[in-house]
Amino acid sequence: MSDLSNRHLPNSLGFATRAIHHGYDPQAHLGSLNPPVFLTSTYAFDSAAEGAARFAGEAEGFIYGRVGNPTVAVLERRLAELEGGEAALATSSGVGALTALVWTLLASGDEIVADQMLYGCTFGLFEHHLPRFGIRVRFADLTDPAGLEAALSPATRMVFTETPSNPNMRVVDIAAIAAITRRAGALFVVDNTYCTPYLQRPLELGADIVTHSATKYLGGHGDLLAGAVVASQEIIDRLRFTGIKELNGACISAFDAFLILRGLKTLTLRMDRHSATAAKLARDLEAHPAVAAVYYPGLDSHPQHALAQRQMRQMGGMIALELKGGLPAGRALMDNVKIATRAVSLGDAETLIQHPASMTHATYDPDERARHGFTDGLIRISVGLEDYEDLRGDLLGAL
Ligand code: 3LM
């Protein structure tokens, strides 16, 4: 989908400049600094023949809101540019992006190899639901490339990882996994929600597809749900004209696209601040006598610290920790905080604290939690944009 307001900036320009300007020309919209929100479900055709040509892909132009919208198109151009991909598709949620992907690109008999630790509903989709459609998911430790080699089969069509993983911050070597996946003739998908393209660009490291929950840092304000896929034009066309159009219908609203474009203007500032505050808090928490372990890639104690420093611009705003008192102590910590908010989701201005085993990752039963390697006592913090000293006082005081 394209329209007249496209403005291509040379990619020699910096990330922040492109996050603010790419893909929108105010002069094509009466000088409006911000993209107009096109609140329309459908589009008028000049003639019957022209409408037919648009449907056939032979003429430019929008046809129906489920497959495209001018405001959404600005967001898609901008996300593609920032991830270094050819094209992007915005969706109604992160899960909507994932189902568009698997319904469109896979068929019964195909296999996915996924890292052993995934966001709870991604795990639920993969482990509990895809088998009903004849798609098998093999889980492997993708922090070790040998783990992938062992799990590949002739039926492997897709390799999937988050890095860092939600919730326990495992870091996967994108370039190493991409090379093996390519040799196997499969597609490598990286969920880049935790990093955003400002901190990490998987496509530049050899991944084929990037997915996002744009609900998180891309939107940045906890006021919308959205997702995105960035990939080649060929894959995005298939996702748009099959995945969203005929399979899951998970199209984003123009208003939510507008809000994400607004969020992107401050993405670099926010990520700088989330990362700087989280790095300091991770160190403070690790030094506290009540804390058994802190999982944060910026810490020397993190098993993939050196890889994270190579692969990520900064270490991001997510921290996981375990207390010496286990789950009861974790619950007490959650109940004692006054500034941090007890809530799931992440990437908001507000610091959010939650208990994965009973909340975001309750889709893993106790056996699955043990098999996939995360503990009942784990607590996750999405470090917000509040003053560091206030957060430090809140969290250490609550401990
Ligand atoms: C959460 N995560 O609190 P939506 N990929 C990743 C994610 O973290 C998420 C999605 C995809 C959380 C949501 S839990 C009930 C709340 C790495 C979401 C899915 O469909 O936009 O929520 O994205 O960890």
Side-chain angles (χ1 to χ4, degrees):
M1 285 291 147
S2 64
D3 70 6
L4 297 174
S5 65
N6 197 350
R7 173 159 70 162
H8 281 292
L9 296 177
N11 61 9
S12 58
L13 293 176
F15 188 96
T17 305
R18 289 177 291 131
I20 294 168
H21 292 285
H22 184 85
Y24 175 69
D25 182 359
Q27 296 314 328
H29 291 287
L30 306 172
S32 175
L33 180 68
N34 284 299
V37 182
F38 284 85
L39 291 179
T40 186
S41 59
T42 197
Y43 302 87
F45 308 133
D46 291 341
S47 65
E50 201 260 349
R54 287 193 202 181
F55 264 85
E58 291 157 4
E60 290 267 303
F62 295 97
I63 53 177
Y64 185 60
R66 200 180 328 111
V67 282
N69 171 286
T71 314
V72 174
V74 177
L75 173 64
E76 291 172 339
R77 282 198 291 274
R78 197 161 295 173
L79 289 177
E81 165 68 23
L82 296 178
E83 284 287 3
E86 275 177 22
L89 176 76
T91 59
S92 60
S93 69
V95 170
L98 295 176
T99 57
L101 206 64
V102 297
W103 300 152
T104 308
L105 301 180
L106 302 179
S108 176
D110 290 346
E111 293 187 4
I112 301 175
V113 178
D115 183 54
Q116 68 190 45
M117 198 64 246
L118 299 173
Y119 164 59
C121 294
T122 309
F123 171 74
L125 170 69
F126 283 7
E127 174 70 8
H128 302 147
H129 303 298
L130 288 185
R132 290 192 284 124
F133 302 92
I135 297 168
R136 173 170 176 191
V137 184
R138 296 175 192 251
F139 291 95
D141 175 4
L142 298 190
T143 65
D144 175 8
L148 172 58
E149 301 272 17
L152 289 170
S153 87
T156 309
R157 298 280 170 275
M158 188 178 277
V159 174
F160 187 97
T161 198
E162 299 168 359
T163 181
S165 63
N166 184 355
N168 57 4
M169 307 301 289
R170 296 150 54 79
V171 175
V172 170
D173 186 334
I174 296 173
I177 296 296
I180 299 169
T181 305
R182 179 142 308 166
R183 281 203 298 280
L187 292 169
F188 182 30
V189 183
V190 177
D191 182 328
N192 205 25
T193 300
Y194 263 38
C195 281
T196 82
Y198 180 50
L199 301 193
Q200 170 175 281
R201 280 188 294 285
L203 301 178
E204 290 175 2
L205 297 169
D208 300 290
I209 299 173
V210 161
T211 62
H212 279 283
S213 169
T215 314
K216 317 298 190 234
Y217 292 107
L218 297 178
H221 296 78
D223 51 9
L224 61 92
L225 279 113
V229 184
V230 185
S232 66
Q233 186 71 56
E234 190 261 329
I235 287 177
I236 294 299
D237 284 349
R238 286 172 63 197
L239 295 176
R240 186 185 303 285
F241 295 107
T242 305
I244 293 288
K245 184 165 173 258
E246 297 176 10
L247 295 175
N248 76 356
C251 53
I252 189 175
S253 88
F255 187 65
D256 288 340
F258 170 86
L259 288 176
I260 299 169
L261 285 163
R262 185 165 75 159
L264 286 175
K265 295 185 195 191
T266 56
L267 178 67
T268 62
L269 293 173
R270 290 185 286 107
M271 295 313 286
D272 287 345
R273 169 92 167 202
H274 286 299
S275 297
T277 307
K280 286 190 274 192
L281 281 175
R283 275 195 294 276
D284 296 338
L285 290 165
E286 193 174 45
H288 194 283
V291 173
V294 177
Y295 305 101
Y296 183 72
L299 293 173
D300 292 337
S301 58
H302 190 282
Q304 295 99 28
H305 175 60
L307 166 64
Q309 284 186 314
R310 281 203 309 278
Q311 191 165 273
M312 299 163 62
R313 183 197 292 256
Q314 294 163 11
M315 300 298 123
M318 298 300 296
I319 297 175
L321 71 156
E322 268 167 280
L323 301 184
K324 289 186 182 148
L327 179 55
R331 288 220 165 106
L333 167 66
M334 285 179 60
D335 286 338
N336 287 341
V337 289
K338 296 198 170 52
I339 295 171
T341 303
R342 286 172 292 278
V344 298
S345 203
L346 57 111
D348 297 333
E350 296 80 2
T351 293
L352 307 178
I353 185 166
Q354 65 107 12
H355 175 232
S358 65
M359 296 175 184
T360 51
H361 293 67
T363 48
Y364 290 76
D365 68 26
D367 284 351
E368 289 167 342
R369 288 205 288 280
R371 266 206 311 282
H372 289 256
F374 85 104
T375 55
D376 277 0
L378 196 78
I379 298 291
R380 189 187 77 181
I381 302 173
S382 168
V383 177
L385 302 175
E386 301 95 337
D387 288 293
Y388 159 68
E389 290 299 341
D390 293 339
L391 289 177
R392 181 177 192 279
D394 190 38
L395 290 164
L396 297 194
L399 280 173

